[in-house]
Amino acid sequence: MALALLGSAVTILSTSLGAVPALAARGISRRAKDVLMGFSGGIMLAATAFSLVIPAIELSEQRYTSRFVPALLVGSSMLVGGLFLHLCNRFIPHEHFEKGPEGGKGGAQLRRIWLFVLAIALHNFPEGLAVGTGVGSQSMEIALPILVGIGLQDIPEGFVVALALMGVAYTRAQALRVAVYTGLVEGAAALIGFFATSLSVGVLPWALAFAGGSMLYVVSDEMIPESHRQEYAREATGGLMVGFVLMMFLDVSLS
């Protein structure tokens, strides 16, 4: 439980910490923004593969003699995780900085800043879920790389989000509050993932794969398209590869 609270605190503090330097910055170039987003996406991709999907397969193989069943179990759980995020994006009103409004019809009744909060919260929920399920495994080999990797990628993410909010006429105080709110959502998701996996060991492979599918959806649906929207796609790809390799290194060295 102490480790679960630590994981929740790390996700909250990392996002908030990343937003603090943005309060003093005058702005950020589109190139730097795309590189940072690519870097975050690379960490999430590697965390999905090495820290969530592979452990889920290995845990399933310990329970089933057939190799077909673990593959089916993990694959279906990933698809359910992606479907869950798709439905959230479709029915929860929110607004992206680049793509504009999306989701249900209730968006017109909310202040625009809350639509941004909901968009970032949907983006961050799978990350918190990954941290919580990793900690819920009660295995430091699984939990530590996820905790360190997600904590690292939350810092540039919080920085970019705060700058983007100030770029659409919100104050520094409002930008910092949004970063804290979205960090709280991520921390809450970590606790949800922890309690779900700690209630039953049998849930763990499903939960790890579900979190992996959710993160894969976010990277494919939002982070890669957003970072490749302008003319700095190559720089964003470089950032993604650096983030991927860094997370792979953390997973191998810390597990």
Coordinates of all heavy atoms in Angstrom, one line a residue, residues 141-205:
E141 N 10.5 -5.9 -10.0 CA 11.0 -6.1 -11.4 C 10.0 -5.5 -12.4 O 10.4 -5.0 -13.5 CB 11.3 -7.5 -11.7 CG 12.5 -8.1 -10.9 CD 12.8 -9.5 -11.3 OE1 12.0 -10.1 -12.2 OE2 13.8 -10.1 -10.8
I142 N 8.7 -5.6 -12.1 CA 7.7 -5.0 -13.0 C 7.4 -3.6 -12.6 O 7.3 -2.7 -13.5 CB 6.4 -5.9 -12.9 CG1 6.6 -7.3 -13.4 CG2 5.3 -5.2 -13.7 CD1 5.4 -8.2 -13.2
A143 N 7.3 -3.3 -11.3 CA 6.9 -2.0 -10.9 C 7.9 -0.9 -11.1 O 7.5 0.2 -11.6 CB 6.5 -2.0 -9.4
L144 N 9.1 -1.1 -10.8 CA 10.2 0.0 -10.8 C 10.4 0.6 -12.1 O 10.4 1.8 -12.3 CB 11.5 -0.6 -10.2 CG 12.5 0.5 -9.9 CD1 12.0 1.6 -8.9 CD2 13.8 -0.1 -9.3
P145 N 10.6 -0.2 -13.2 CA 10.8 0.5 -14.5 C 9.6 1.3 -14.9 O 9.7 2.4 -15.5 CB 11.0 -0.7 -15.5 CG 11.4 -1.8 -14.6 CD 10.7 -1.7 -13.3
I146 N 8.4 0.8 -14.7 CA 7.2 1.6 -15.0 C 7.1 2.9 -14.3 O 6.9 3.9 -14.8 CB 5.9 0.7 -14.7 CG1 5.9 -0.5 -15.6 CG2 4.6 1.6 -15.0 CD1 4.7 -1.5 -15.3
L147 N 7.4 2.8 -13.0 CA 7.3 4.0 -12.1 C 8.3 5.0 -12.5 O 8.0 6.2 -12.7 CB 7.6 3.5 -10.6 CG 7.3 4.6 -9.5 CD1 5.9 5.0 -9.6 CD2 7.7 4.0 -8.2
V148 N 9.5 4.6 -12.8 CA 10.6 5.6 -13.2 C 10.3 6.1 -14.6 O 10.4 7.3 -14.9 CB 12.0 4.9 -13.2 CG1 13.0 5.8 -13.8 CG2 12.3 4.5 -11.8
G149 N 9.9 5.2 -15.6 CA 9.7 5.7 -16.9 C 8.5 6.6 -17.1 O 8.6 7.7 -17.7
I150 N 7.4 6.3 -16.4 CA 6.2 7.1 -16.5 C 6.5 8.5 -15.8 O 6.0 9.5 -16.2 CB 5.0 6.4 -15.9 CG1 4.6 5.2 -16.8 CG2 3.8 7.4 -15.9 CD1 4.3 5.5 -18.2
G151 N 7.2 8.4 -14.7 CA 7.5 9.6 -14.0 C 8.4 10.5 -14.8 O 8.2 11.8 -14.9
L152 N 9.3 10.0 -15.6 CA 10.2 10.8 -16.5 C 9.4 11.4 -17.6 O 9.6 12.6 -17.9 CB 11.3 9.9 -17.1 CG 12.5 9.6 -16.2 CD1 13.4 8.6 -16.9 CD2 13.2 10.9 -15.8
Q153 N 8.5 10.6 -18.2 CA 7.8 11.2 -19.3 C 6.7 12.2 -18.9 O 6.3 13.0 -19.7 CB 7.2 10.1 -20.2 CG 6.0 9.4 -19.7 CD 4.7 9.9 -20.2 OE1 4.7 10.5 -21.3 NE2 3.6 9.8 -19.4
D154 N 6.2 12.1 -17.7 CA 5.3 13.1 -17.2 C 5.8 14.5 -17.1 O 5.1 15.5 -17.2 CB 4.7 12.7 -15.8 CG 3.6 11.7 -15.9 OD1 3.0 11.5 -17.0 OD2 3.3 11.0 -14.9
I155 N 7.1 14.6 -16.9 CA 7.8 15.9 -16.7 C 7.7 16.8 -18.0 O 7.1 17.9 -18.0 CB 9.2 15.8 -16.2 CG1 9.2 15.2 -14.8 CG2 9.9 17.2 -16.2 CD1 10.6 14.9 -14.2
P156 N 8.2 16.3 -19.1 CA 8.0 17.1 -20.4 C 6.6 17.2 -20.8 O 6.2 18.2 -21.4 CB 8.8 16.3 -21.4 CG 9.0 14.9 -20.9 CD 9.0 15.1 -19.4
E157 N 5.8 16.2 -20.5 CA 4.3 16.3 -20.8 C 3.7 17.5 -20.0 O 2.9 18.3 -20.6 CB 3.7 15.0 -20.4 CG 2.3 14.8 -21.0 CD 1.8 13.4 -20.8 OE1 1.3 13.1 -19.7 OE2 2.0 12.6 -21.7
G158 N 4.0 17.6 -18.7 CA 3.4 18.7 -18.0 C 3.9 20.1 -18.5 O 3.2 21.0 -18.5
F159 N 5.2 20.1 -18.9 CA 5.8 21.3 -19.4 C 5.0 21.8 -20.7 O 4.6 23.0 -20.8 CB 7.2 21.1 -19.7 CG 8.0 22.3 -20.3 CD1 8.4 23.3 -19.4 CD2 8.3 22.3 -21.6 CE1 9.1 24.4 -19.9 CE2 9.0 23.4 -22.1 CZ 9.4 24.4 -21.3
V160 N 4.8 20.8 -21.6 CA 4.2 21.2 -22.9 C 2.7 21.6 -22.7 O 2.2 22.6 -23.3 CB 4.3 20.0 -23.9 CG1 3.4 20.2 -25.1 CG2 5.7 19.7 -24.3
V161 N 2.0 20.9 -21.8 CA 0.6 21.2 -21.5 C 0.5 22.6 -20.9 O -0.4 23.4 -21.4 CB 0.0 20.2 -20.6 CG1 -1.3 20.7 -20.0 CG2 -0.2 18.8 -21.3
A162 N 1.3 23.0 -20.0 CA 1.3 24.3 -19.3 C 1.5 25.4 -20.4 O 0.8 26.4 -20.4 CB 2.2 24.4 -18.2
L163 N 2.5 25.2 -21.2 CA 2.8 26.2 -22.3 C 1.7 26.3 -23.3 O 1.3 27.4 -23.7 CB 4.1 25.8 -23.0 CG 5.4 26.2 -22.3 CD1 6.6 25.7 -23.1 CD2 5.5 27.7 -22.1
A164 N 1.1 25.2 -23.6 CA 0.0 25.2 -24.6 C -1.2 26.0 -24.0 O -1.9 26.7 -24.7 CB -0.4 23.8 -24.9
L165 N -1.5 25.8 -22.7 CA -2.6 26.5 -22.1 C -2.3 28.0 -22.1 O -3.2 28.8 -22.4 CB -2.8 26.0 -20.7 CG -3.6 24.6 -20.5 CD1 -3.5 24.1 -19.1 CD2 -5.0 24.8 -20.9
M166 N -1.1 28.4 -21.7 CA -0.8 29.8 -21.7 C -0.8 30.4 -23.2 O -1.1 31.6 -23.3 CB 0.6 30.0 -21.1 CG 0.6 29.8 -19.6 SD 2.1 30.3 -18.7 CE 3.2 29.0 -19.4
G167 N -0.6 29.5 -24.1 CA -0.6 29.9 -25.5 C -2.0 30.2 -26.0 O -2.2 30.8 -27.1
V168 N -3.0 29.7 -25.3 CA -4.4 30.0 -25.7 C -5.1 30.9 -24.6 O -6.3 30.8 -24.3 CB -5.2 28.7 -25.9 CG1 -4.8 28.0 -27.1 CG2 -5.2 27.8 -24.7
A169 N -4.3 31.8 -24.1 CA -4.8 32.9 -23.2 C -5.2 32.5 -21.8 O -5.9 33.3 -21.2 CB -5.9 33.6 -23.9
Y170 N -4.7 31.4 -21.3 CA -4.9 31.1 -19.9 C -3.7 31.6 -19.1 O -2.6 31.7 -19.5 CB -5.1 29.6 -19.7 CG -6.5 29.2 -20.2 CD1 -6.6 28.5 -21.4 CD2 -7.6 29.5 -19.5 CE1 -7.9 28.1 -21.9 CE2 -8.9 29.1 -19.9 CZ -9.0 28.5 -21.1 OH -10.2 28.1 -21.6
T171 N -4.0 32.0 -17.8 CA -2.9 32.5 -16.9 C -2.0 31.4 -16.5 O -2.3 30.2 -16.6 CB -3.6 33.2 -15.7 OG1 -4.2 32.2 -14.9 CG2 -4.6 34.3 -16.1
R172 N -0.9 31.9 -15.9 CA 0.1 30.9 -15.3 C -0.5 30.1 -14.2 O -0.3 28.9 -14.1 CB 1.3 31.6 -14.8 CG 2.2 32.2 -15.9 CD 3.4 33.0 -15.4 NE 4.4 33.3 -16.4 CZ 4.3 34.3 -17.3 NH1 3.2 35.1 -17.2 NH2 5.2 34.5 -18.2
A173 N -1.3 30.7 -13.4 CA -2.0 30.0 -12.3 C -3.0 29.0 -12.8 O -3.0 27.9 -12.3 CB -2.7 31.0 -11.4
Q174 N -3.7 29.3 -13.8 CA -4.7 28.4 -14.4 C -3.9 27.2 -15.0 O -4.3 26.0 -14.9 CB -5.5 29.0 -15.4 CG -6.6 30.0 -14.8 CD -7.3 30.7 -15.9 OE1 -6.8 31.2 -16.9 NE2 -8.6 30.9 -15.7
A175 N -2.8 27.5 -15.7 CA -2.0 26.4 -16.3 C -1.5 25.4 -15.3 O -1.5 24.2 -15.5 CB -0.9 27.0 -17.2
L176 N -1.0 26.0 -14.2 CA -0.4 25.1 -13.1 C -1.6 24.3 -12.5 O -1.4 23.1 -12.2 CB 0.2 26.0 -12.0 CG 0.9 25.3 -10.9 CD1 2.0 24.3 -11.4 CD2 1.5 26.2 -9.9
R177 N -2.7 24.9 -12.3 CA -3.8 24.2 -11.7 C -4.3 23.0 -12.6 O -4.6 21.9 -12.1 CB -5.0 25.1 -11.4 CG -4.9 26.0 -10.2 CD -6.3 26.4 -9.7 NE -7.0 27.1 -10.7 CZ -7.0 28.5 -10.9 NH1 -6.2 29.2 -10.1 NH2 -7.7 29.1 -11.8
V178 N -4.3 23.2 -13.9 CA -4.7 22.2 -14.8 C -3.7 21.0 -14.7 O -4.0 19.8 -14.7 CB -4.7 22.7 -16.3 CG1 -4.8 21.5 -17.2 CG2 -5.9 23.6 -16.4
A179 N -2.4 21.3 -14.6 CA -1.3 20.3 -14.5 C -1.5 19.5 -13.2 O -1.4 18.3 -13.2 CB 0.1 20.9 -14.5
V180 N -1.9 20.2 -12.1 CA -2.1 19.5 -10.9 C -3.4 18.6 -11.0 O -3.4 17.5 -10.5 CB -2.3 20.5 -9.7 CG1 -2.7 19.8 -8.4 CG2 -0.9 21.3 -9.5
Y181 N -4.4 19.2 -11.6 CA -5.7 18.4 -11.7 C -5.4 17.1 -12.5 O -5.9 16.0 -12.1 CB -6.8 19.2 -12.4 CG -7.3 20.4 -11.6 CD1 -7.8 21.5 -12.2 CD2 -7.2 20.4 -10.2 CE1 -8.3 22.6 -11.5 CE2 -7.7 21.5 -9.5 CZ -8.2 22.6 -10.1 OH -8.7 23.6 -9.4
T182 N -4.8 17.2 -13.6 CA -4.5 16.1 -14.5 C -3.6 15.1 -13.8 O -3.7 13.9 -13.9 CB -4.0 16.5 -15.8 OG1 -2.8 17.3 -15.7 CG2 -5.0 17.3 -16.6
G183 N -2.6 15.6 -13.0 CA -1.8 14.7 -12.2 C -2.6 14.0 -11.1 O -2.3 12.8 -10.9
L184 N -3.6 14.6 -10.6 CA -4.5 14.0 -9.6 C -5.3 12.8 -10.2 O -5.4 11.8 -9.7 CB -5.4 15.0 -9.0 CG -4.8 16.0 -8.0 CD1 -5.8 17.0 -7.6 CD2 -4.3 15.2 -6.7
V185 N -5.7 13.1 -11.5 CA -6.4 12.0 -12.2 C -5.5 10.8 -12.4 O -5.9 9.6 -12.2 CB -7.0 12.5 -13.6 CG1 -7.5 11.4 -14.4 CG2 -8.0 13.6 -13.3
E186 N -4.3 11.1 -12.8 CA -3.3 10.0 -13.0 C -3.0 9.3 -11.7 O -2.9 8.0 -11.7 CB -2.0 10.6 -13.6 CG -1.1 9.5 -14.2 CD 0.1 10.1 -15.0 OE1 -0.1 11.3 -15.4 OE2 1.1 9.4 -15.2
G187 N -2.9 10.0 -10.6 CA -2.7 9.4 -9.4 C -3.9 8.5 -8.9 O -3.7 7.4 -8.4
A188 N -5.1 9.0 -9.2 CA -6.3 8.2 -8.9 C -6.3 6.9 -9.7 O -6.7 5.9 -9.2 CB -7.5 9.0 -9.1
A189 N -5.9 7.1 -11.0 CA -5.9 5.9 -11.9 C -4.9 4.9 -11.4 O -5.1 3.6 -11.5 CB -5.5 6.3 -13.3
A190 N -3.8 5.3 -10.8 CA -2.8 4.4 -10.2 C -3.4 3.6 -9.1 O -3.1 2.4 -8.9 CB -1.5 5.2 -9.8
L191 N -4.1 4.3 -8.2 CA -4.7 3.6 -7.1 C -5.8 2.6 -7.6 O -5.9 1.5 -7.0 CB -5.4 4.6 -6.2 CG -4.4 5.5 -5.4 CD1 -5.2 6.5 -4.5 CD2 -3.5 4.7 -4.5
I192 N -6.5 3.0 -8.6 CA -7.5 2.0 -9.2 C -6.8 0.8 -9.7 O -7.2 -0.4 -9.5 CB -8.3 2.7 -10.3 CG1 -9.2 3.8 -9.8 CG2 -9.2 1.7 -11.1 CD1 -9.9 4.7 -10.8
G193 N -5.7 1.0 -10.5 CA -5.0 -0.2 -11.0 C -4.4 -1.0 -9.9 O -4.4 -2.3 -10.0
F194 N -3.9 -0.4 -8.8 CA -3.4 -1.1 -7.7 C -4.4 -2.0 -7.0 O -4.2 -3.2 -6.8 CB -2.8 -0.2 -6.7 CG -2.4 -0.8 -5.4 CD1 -1.3 -1.6 -5.3 CD2 -3.2 -0.6 -4.3 CE1 -0.9 -2.2 -4.1 CE2 -2.8 -1.3 -3.0 CZ -1.7 -2.1 -3.0
F195 N -5.6 -1.4 -6.7 CA -6.6 -2.2 -6.0 C -7.2 -3.3 -6.8 O -7.5 -4.3 -6.3 CB -7.7 -1.2 -5.5 CG -7.3 -0.4 -4.3 CD1 -7.3 1.0 -4.4 CD2 -7.0 -1.0 -3.1 CE1 -6.9 1.8 -3.3 CE2 -6.6 -0.2 -2.0 CZ -6.5 1.2 -2.1
A196 N -7.3 -3.0 -8.1 CA -7.8 -4.0 -9.0 C -6.9 -5.3 -9.1 O -7.4 -6.4 -9.1 CB -8.0 -3.5 -10.5
T197 N -5.6 -5.1 -9.1 CA -4.7 -6.2 -9.2 C -4.4 -6.8 -7.9 O -4.1 -8.0 -7.8 CB -3.4 -5.7 -9.8 OG1 -2.9 -4.6 -9.1 CG2 -3.6 -5.4 -11.3
S198 N -4.5 -6.0 -6.8 CA -4.2 -6.6 -5.5 C -5.3 -7.4 -4.9 O -5.1 -8.3 -4.0 CB -3.8 -5.5 -4.5 OG -4.9 -4.6 -4.3
L199 N -6.5 -7.3 -5.4 CA -7.6 -8.1 -5.0 C -7.5 -9.5 -5.4 O -7.9 -10.4 -4.7 CB -9.0 -7.5 -5.5 CG -9.4 -6.2 -4.9 CD1 -10.7 -5.6 -5.6 CD2 -9.7 -6.3 -3.4
S200 N -6.9 -9.7 -6.6 CA -6.8 -11.1 -7.1 C -5.6 -11.2 -8.0 O -5.4 -10.4 -8.9 CB -8.0 -11.5 -7.9 OG -7.8 -12.8 -8.5
V201 N -4.7 -12.1 -7.7 CA -3.5 -12.3 -8.5 C -3.9 -12.7 -10.0 O -3.2 -12.3 -10.9 CB -2.6 -13.4 -7.9 CG1 -1.4 -13.7 -8.8 CG2 -2.1 -13.0 -6.5
G202 N -5.0 -13.4 -10.1 CA -5.4 -13.8 -11.4 C -5.8 -12.7 -12.4 O -5.8 -12.8 -13.6
V203 N -6.1 -11.5 -11.8 CA -6.4 -10.3 -12.6 C -5.2 -9.7 -13.2 O -5.3 -9.0 -14.2 CB -7.2 -9.3 -11.7 CG1 -7.5 -8.0 -12.5 CG2 -8.5 -9.9 -11.2
L204 N -4.0 -9.9 -12.6 CA -2.8 -9.2 -13.0 C -2.5 -9.2 -14.5 O -2.3 -8.2 -15.1 CB -1.7 -9.6 -12.2 CG -0.3 -8.9 -12.4 CD1 -0.5 -7.4 -12.1 CD2 0.8 -9.5 -11.5
P205 N -2.4 -10.4 -15.1 CA -2.1 -10.4 -16.6 C -3.1 -9.6 -17.4 O -2.7 -8.8 -18.3 CB -2.1 -11.9 -17.0 CG -1.9 -12.6 -15.7 CD -2.6 -11.8 -14.6

